[in-house]
Amino acid sequence: MKTIALQQFRHDADIAAADGDRRAFIRTALGGYYGVRGATMASYANYPAARAKAAAIKWDALENLGEHLEAFESKLLDRGVKVHWATDAASARGYVLDILHRREAKLVIKSKTMTSEEIHLNDAMEQAGYDVVESDLGELIVQLNKQAPYHFVFPCMHLKRGEIKSIFDKAYGESGSDDPENLTMIARRVLRQQYLRADVGISGANFGVAETGTISITENEGNSRLTCAMPRVHVVLMGIEKIVPRLADLALLQPMLGTAGTGQLMTCYNSLYLGPKRGGEIDGPEEMHVVLLDNGRTRILADSELRDALRCIRCGACLNVCPIFKNVGGHTYGVTYQGPIGAVIEPHLRTVQEFGHLSAASSLCGACTETCPVKIDIHHHLLRNRKKAAKSKRGERAIFGAFTFLMRRPALLRWVGRAAGVIDRLARPLQGSALDPFKAWRQSRTLPSPAPSSFRDYWKSRGRR
Amino acid sequence: MSDSHAAQDTRGGTGERAAILARVREALTVPTSIHVQRDRHLAYAEHANHAEESDAVGGLLPPVGASLQSRIDRFQERSESLRSNFLTAECTSTAAGVLGRIATDSGWKRVAVHNAPLLDQIAPHLPCDRLQIGENYDREALEQCDAGITVCDALIAQTGSVLLTATSAGGRALSVLPPHHVVIATAAQLLPDLPSAFALLASTYGKSWPSFATIITGPSRTGDIERILVLGAHGPKQLTVILINQNQEQ
């Protein structure tokens, strides 16, 4: 069955894969990443062991997730943080809209949070009449361009400087040179006033520490720090799988996230948020909320193999090394979390019927598994998703049924092999015409002709010599 | 303002909280599949071979020498690659002189400072106006300042980072809103690595946490446009760390 999502995927993949110029641009943009990341990994005393330890920490977190979530909540409540448990996207959106309404907010400033993309929070807030500004440079650019993020760590990596300049020209008036420095400074100037004016700041969370009730946010620009410092209300959106057991775990996970994500040993700001402004402190929000989102995650947890994928720390490394991502691009996936890890979890966060095809968008080369800083067996899960999907495919079953039939009958196989060569020669004039069953295949590839003689015949003639 | 249903204490509550926790517990009654568990055992085994204690991550991250000088060297090396400005001074008055020259060279008109004994020995000697940040400070005025000067909880040699909190360093905004952040630290504050920084946080604040802490590693940056590095995306364009090392050998 071809779902709408699959048809869209094929359509977008064709266009993206044919755009050689853009593909070369993406490859160049990622080129620097490989070098920097390699050097940083090499500076670790023992990177393979660090990776194993990071994997083990995330394992501990999942195996006792219930206890950790309760401990986490309890610590937050003790410090006056309000905690909302949201089973689905609608519940999380409703809670945030309630806060905005109660605080009579006008302007909402956001630092990068993929969880908010997942629950379509911006649409909901805009429809309710609030002004919403993304503060991360990449997110701001795709927001102005009315696009979804292309990559969940590098949201606008598909856009060239000239394109970004015209986006800024349209939004803010003539922006001058298309130099990245100039464009960045324009965003800096524009957003400065927004931090001071915004009523509510919304952020995500990279880690939630159960032991101390601490939100950890990893960033480079300082936009998240400003989003969580200036407005009177701070709302954190966090998937329940972001829990880690101990504060000390961050000493490893923060550098691992930086290293795998961008090649930095530590990103510029790794900040800890523990509550609203306390007595004796001179600034910070009056109110802090944490929304704990399920939205399909417990479904993944219930699968004794797939729960492995909930260890993901969203570093984006698997996208950066994926040959499919580099060829079809981030938008083609049509989901919040692109690339190999997205292809593993999105069919389960949404529906396998609609998004099962994403697991086929892989060459199974295993580069994702090899690069994952928490050792998720990504390509194993892709293969397993595929296996599940194949059971329900009638066409594929018929083809393999015929193949099995043939392979069990050597005489028939020999005959079919000889016939194939003859048919191929006779049918040559029909190639590419409407009668050609391989027409679609030949549009972008060549179909090799059958060999003039079979291996069996070759072996026989060789034996006689 | 906070009397709405949104502000309820959900401890022991029902509804979505109970539903999610029940689903989590139900899901985990099925043991994790052998296939993916194998990785887990591998994870522990590999780790056990390399680290002395099962909880230590110290032996995994980039190594740092034990002596103060090797910490200083590592911090210097990291500062260079991060494009932070790392300077040392023998005492507070030389630090004031060093910072005074930066103020003059950069044409600072006004700097923001918070209440800290170490800053009281330095800031009054600067050749520019001062904005003292305290309760109900003027946010617009802080945004207009040329620099924010703070102390910190620690420096981290391994990563070239500064650890500070809302309590120690004048709240959340002072170290991120002005275009230049200056940190004054003492040699005793220079820790070897990240694990020791988290241990310090826990021992200092374990009983009463500030609402905010951050590990700052270089000036604010972005690579969002064509993956090209630009400093000063939203936070400070420059980070200067002045280390007061009274036992400095000449």
Side-chain angles (χ1 to χ4, degrees), chain A residues 32-287:
Chain A
Y33 162 85
Y34 303 130
V36 177
R37 187 185 62 152
T40 304
M41 280 162 59
S43 78
Y44 278 61
N46 189 335
Y47 187 80
R51 198 171 159 239
K53 177 68 180 171
I57 290 171
K58 288 293 284 188
W59 261 115
D60 287 347
L62 283 184
E63 298 275 294
N64 297 296
L65 187 58
E67 288 72 26
H68 290 323
L69 282 167
E70 282 179 321
F72 178 69
E73 177 199 34
S74 174
K75 294 281 179 188
L76 288 174
L77 293 174
D78 287 344
R79 285 191 299 264
V81 180
K82 279 134 197 162
V83 179
H84 175 71
W85 300 69
T87 49
D88 59 13
S91 163
R93 285 193 305 262
Y95 183 76
V96 174
L97 288 175
D98 267 358
I99 297 170
L100 301 186
H101 177 72
R102 187 167 49 78
R103 296 299 308 226
E104 295 172 359
K106 290 186 182 67
L107 176 64
V108 180
I109 192 143
K110 290 180 67 208
S111 77
K112 189 168 167 40
T113 149
M114 290 313 291
T115 313
S116 95
E117 300 283 341
E118 179 186 329
I119 64 171
H120 302 289
L121 183 61
N122 285 12
D123 286 347
M125 291 193 294
E126 278 161 8
Q127 271 165 29
Y130 301 103
D131 289 331
V132 181
V133 180
E134 291 287 351
S135 62
D136 173 85
L137 178 60
E139 289 283 340
L140 172 72
I141 291 167
V142 292
Q143 187 194 24
L144 292 174
N145 204 29
K146 296 186 170 39
Q147 275 183 317
Y150 184 87
H151 178 301
F152 60 73
V153 175
F154 312 136
C156 73
M157 70 176 302
H158 61 301
L159 294 171
K160 299 177 186 176
R161 59 183 76 188
E163 293 167 312
I164 294 167
K165 175 185 149 53
S166 14
I167 292 167
F168 278 8
D169 285 347
K170 223 155 94 189
Y172 309 128
E174 172 56 41
S175 49
S177 134
D178 67 1
D179 179 54
E181 166 95 28
N182 175 51
L183 295 171
T184 303
M185 290 310 131
I186 289 170
R188 180 186 171 96
R189 275 198 298 278
V190 168
L191 281 168
R192 283 262 134 176
Q193 289 312 309
Q194 315 278 40
Y195 294 118
L196 298 176
R197 275 183 45 223
D199 307 291
V200 174
I202 298 180
S203 76
N206 293 99
F207 306 104
V209 182
E211 176 190 37
T212 52
T214 303
I215 303 289
S216 172
I217 298 179
T218 294
E219 57 147 347
N220 267 314
E221 298 181 1
N223 64 304
S224 191
R225 283 190 61 191
L226 288 162
T227 298
C228 306
M230 312 313 289
R232 280 196 298 248
V233 181
H234 175 201
V235 182
V236 179
L237 302 174
M238 173 180 153
I240 54 171
E241 85 287 13
K242 295 284 179 184
I243 289 283
V244 297
R246 294 162 300 264
L247 186 71
D249 295 335
L250 298 181
L252 179 65
L253 292 175
Q254 288 177 346
M256 290 298 280
L257 176 57
T259 303
T262 60
Q264 292 166 279
L265 178 56
M266 281 288 267
T267 66
C268 211
Y269 304 108
N270 281 273
S271 304
L272 308 179
Y273 296 92
L274 293 103
K277 169 184 186 292
R278 273 186 37 178
E281 290 178 356
I282 61 170
D283 58 9
E286 298 159 5
E287 247 180 73

Side-chain angles (χ1 to χ4, degrees), chain A residues 207-431:
Chain A
F207 306 104
V209 182
E211 176 190 37
T212 52
T214 303
I215 303 289
S216 172
I217 298 179
T218 294
E219 57 147 347
N220 267 314
E221 298 181 1
N223 64 304
S224 191
R225 283 190 61 191
L226 288 162
T227 298
C228 306
M230 312 313 289
R232 280 196 298 248
V233 181
H234 175 201
V235 182
V236 179
L237 302 174
M238 173 180 153
I240 54 171
E241 85 287 13
K242 295 284 179 184
I243 289 283
V244 297
R246 294 162 300 264
L247 186 71
D249 295 335
L250 298 181
L252 179 65
L253 292 175
Q254 288 177 346
M256 290 298 280
L257 176 57
T259 303
T262 60
Q264 292 166 279
L265 178 56
M266 281 288 267
T267 66
C268 211
Y269 304 108
N270 281 273
S271 304
L272 308 179
Y273 296 92
L274 293 103
K277 169 184 186 292
R278 273 186 37 178
E281 290 178 356
I282 61 170
D283 58 9
E286 298 159 5
E287 247 180 73
M288 180 173 168
H289 301 260
V290 173
V291 178
L292 287 169
L293 183 71
D294 178 350
N295 205 29
R297 286 163 174 80
T298 47
R299 224 166 29 235
I300 297 179
L301 190 68
D303 182 322
S304 67
E305 270 193 49
L306 197 65
R307 73 174 57 139
D308 186 35
L310 288 181
R311 288 188 288 157
C312 175
I313 57 173
R314 301 282 189 272
C315 67
C318 59
L319 280 65
N320 300 343
V321 300
C322 178
I324 307 297
F325 177 85
K326 282 184 267 188
N327 281 318
V328 304
H331 287 146
T332 300
Y333 290 84
V335 289
T336 312
Y337 306 104
Q338 312 83 2
I341 190 64
V344 171
I345 61 172
E346 286 282 8
H348 301 277
L349 289 177
R350 296 163 193 255
T351 64
V352 177
Q353 289 78 16
E354 187 76 4
F355 288 93
H357 64 273
L358 291 182
S359 299
S362 158
S363 65
L364 298 179
C365 66
C368 46
T369 305
E370 203 172 290
T371 205
C372 177
V374 291
K375 303 188 81 166
I376 300 171
D377 205 345
I378 300 174
H379 74 292
H380 166 77
H381 297 300
L382 289 172
L383 197 57
R384 188 162 165 268
N385 279 357
R386 281 191 192 188
K387 200 165 150 191
K388 282 184 173 170
K391 276 185 192 148
S392 58
K393 273 191 184 163
R394 212 175 291 161
E396 241 169 75
R397 251 199 334 239
I399 290 173
F400 278 95
F403 180 71
T404 312
F405 183 83
L406 207 56
M407 291 309 282
R408 281 181 177 156
R409 290 163 182 82
L412 184 62
L413 178 67
R414 194 164 28 193
W415 187 84
V416 169
R418 287 193 185 133
V422 178
I423 294 169
D424 181 62
R425 274 193 296 281
L426 292 176
R428 211 156 277 168
L430 293 177
Q431 270 179 23

